Amino acid sequence: GVTFRVEDGDLVIARVMHGSMIDRQGMLHAGDVIREVNGREVGKDPMALQHMLRDCNGSITLKILPSYRDTPPPAQ
């Protein structure tokens, strides 16, 4: 699981929940920007992203802009 926020018109991963599949895979990080899902532009609406992911069949391909800025350590 992840949570999102809108920042400067982009949909940004705000938090990756500890122990979730996404956390264990280590492929997405807080601060990454989600650009596309299976070739469709995401925009800045978290609900639209949720609907896009729910409607996907089979594999999901994300186009992301990785975050290179330092993220704060997770809260204990």
Side-chain angles (χ1 to χ4, degrees):
V2 298
T3 58
F4 298 95
R5 70 177 182 269
V6 177
E7 183 177 291
D8 297 328
D10 291 321
L11 200 54
V12 179
I13 297 175
R15 177 173 63 126
V16 177
M17 294 175 197
H18 180 72
S20 67
M21 182 186 329
I22 292 172
D23 180 43
R24 291 191 308 264
Q25 289 176 342
M27 298 179 78
L28 295 175
H29 303 88
D32 291 351
V33 177
I34 305 295
R35 296 285 188 192
E36 295 180 1
V37 175
N38 290 349
R40 292 177 47 205
E41 192 171 317
V42 172
K44 60 180 180 180
D45 182 9
M47 292 302 291
L49 173 62
Q50 190 176 39
H51 290 293
M52 289 172 101
L53 293 172
R54 185 184 63 217
D55 294 341
C56 288
N57 292 328
S59 64
I60 297 173
T61 303
L62 297 175
K63 183 176 182 181
I64 64 167
L65 178 62
S67 170
Y68 294 107
R69 60 182 168 228
D70 293 332
T71 56
Q76 297 276 332

